Amino acid sequence: MIDVMSPCDLTDELSSSGTPGVSKDRPSDRDLQRADGCGRVVLIGSENGTRIEDVFERSPIRIMFPRTGSRPVEEAVLINTAGGVAGGDRLECSVAALPGASIAVTSQAAEKVYRALHEQARVATRLKARESAKLAWLPQETIVFNRARLHRTTEIELFAGAELLALEWLVLGRSAHGEVVDGGNITDSWRVKRDGRLIWADSFHITDEIVPHLNRKALLSNCNAVATLVYFGSDLDKRLDFLREIIPSLGCNCAATLVSGLIVVRFAAKESSDLKLALRSFLQQFGPELGSGPFRVPKMWSC
């Protein structure tokens, strides 16, 4: 005989086997199987271009290096084989560009953060750019579903002579599907160090109490897609002037400033498609200004 369990019965069983500190009447993400993934890649320059020094993967994180013919490594692609992020998941990615390395790192597709029962999902990114290294961190968007709980940190270590462009963006719900985010808990933090000294720290934080007020002009003003981009390199004043010249052509709310030797650019748009077009246009115009290197629209953005 086959004993069929209804969804209600399954919820009751999960509740009864909950962990200490969690009410039996309130199922927790800790009662369910959760991901604990990690990906690490170290790259270094060589006579034949960028060479992979070390790679480590722990499911559900995978790292791929698509190539064309015998060309050296130019782009790394992160894949979350779990198909998304759930409450209680822990995912960590680390990229180290050693002297002479030039690499663009992106993601296979938009990351999705699903509704959580209780626990936050924790996503950590650690980037390091040593002397003469060029590193572009350009993942696709992170879509936050209604009632999701996400704690994301981006930690960057920079050294004199390095060049870095790093982007993170959030989309609140899929508006094309009529989704509305009316609750959740999101923390998105940045920490940037140069030669071991903290030069910039920033946090974006919303809670269930704040979400209903996000459409106020002082907050997101009906913008459901936001992005932060930082640039570290040479000729910062000249490049800041260039950015401010191209901002009106991007078709979204955008502003750039210079803080402690770091250019910080903010983007905001009502639709994720508008933001993606703006970011694509930004990279198409700003990339050539930086000369040769990985600072271009990733190939995976067009797949």
Side-chain angles (χ1 to χ4, degrees), residues 26-41:
R26 186 183 182 188
S28 170
D29 303 279
R30 282 180 279 181
D31 300 319
L32 307 172
Q33 182 178 4
R34 287 299 179 244
D36 184 10
C38 179
R40 181 182 69 242
V41 58

Side-chain angles (χ1 to χ4, degrees), residues 240-263:
L240 179 62
D241 290 339
F242 177 81
L243 288 178
R244 288 175 172 169
E245 289 177 4
I246 68 172
I247 280 175
S249 69
L250 300 181
C252 75
N253 299 302
C254 182
T257 190
L258 182 60
V259 182
S260 301
L262 193 73
I263 291 178

